[in-house]
Amino acid sequence: NSKDRIISFIVMQNDINSIKQTELALNQLHQITSNINKTIDEKIQQLLILGCQLYKLPLAIISEIKGHEYKVLYAQSPNNEINPGDLFDVDNTYCTHVLASDTPIAFHHAGQSSIRNHPCYKGFGLESYIGVPLYVDDKRFGTLNFSGPEISSKPFTERELELIQLFANWLSMELMRI
């Protein structure tokens, strides 16, 4: 059936594009992390920009979480809405779900998901979110997350979840040294 062949071709083409995108992201990650002329803060900021581009989301945050306090350590946002030092109640962030799952999680349309009644959705209207826990010295430290108010055109892929975990692994190592 020609319709099935066309669908198979489109799926295969999407897989190839996804692999190419992953290879490009890994190359860019390597360039950022191995640049000896950049400070750790500059590398982290470049990593946040790369993640925003990769996930097509405007907001990136690295948080430190102590008890119920969610402290922004690093941020990338279009109009500097979120800045290092900003404090939130962790229960009002999607990071409560990240901390509960202990692995990368993602929502591409929060308003149509199980978290539509979450205070973060009600307060900030973030439709798309991908986040991962950060560990320092084998202790839960905080999160790395990317988010935005727009609905993502498709669910986040396994490859995208693996990439954010790779970002988190590098960040966890670097945060141990700070």
Side-chain angles (χ1 to χ4, degrees), residues 45 48-49 52 58-61 75-83:
Q45 215 53 50
L48 293 180
I49 292 167
C52 286
L59 182 61
I61 298 174
Q76 176 68 34
S77 59
N79 301 307
N80 297 320
E81 302 92 335
I82 305 286
N83 294 287

Side-chain angles (χ1 to χ4, degrees), residues 147-165:
S147 59
E150 303 297 321
I151 298 165
S152 290
S153 59
K154 60 179 180 46
F156 292 96
T157 65
E158 197 62 39
R159 202 170 270 122
E160 288 170 323
L161 292 168
E162 289 168 4
L163 270 174
I164 198 171
Q165 183 63 63

Side-chain angles (χ1 to χ4, degrees), residues 10-23 159:
I10 291 170
V11 168
M12 201 165 55
Q13 189 64 40
N14 286 341
D15 284 347
I16 291 168
N17 289 341
S18 178
I19 290 167
K20 285 180 182 176
Q21 182 181 19
T22 301
E23 287 176 0
R159 202 170 270 122

Side-chain angles (χ1 to χ4, degrees), residues 26 29 33 40 44 47 55 62 102-104 131-139 141-146 159-178:
L26 288 172
L29 178 62
T33 58
I40 184 61
I44 289 174
L47 178 89
Y55 297 115
I62 295 171
D102 230 19
T103 60
V132 63
L134 295 173
Y135 289 88
V136 174
D137 295 325
D138 294 328
K139 292 185 186 87
F141 176 83
T143 62
L144 164 65
N145 59 82
F146 300 91
R159 202 170 270 122
E160 288 170 323
L161 292 168
E162 289 168 4
L163 270 174
I164 198 171
Q165 183 63 63
L166 190 60
F167 285 15
N169 293 349
W170 178 81
L171 280 167
S172 292
M173 295 288 292
E174 290 304 318
L175 290 169
M176 271 196 282
R177 297 179 192 164
I178 294 177

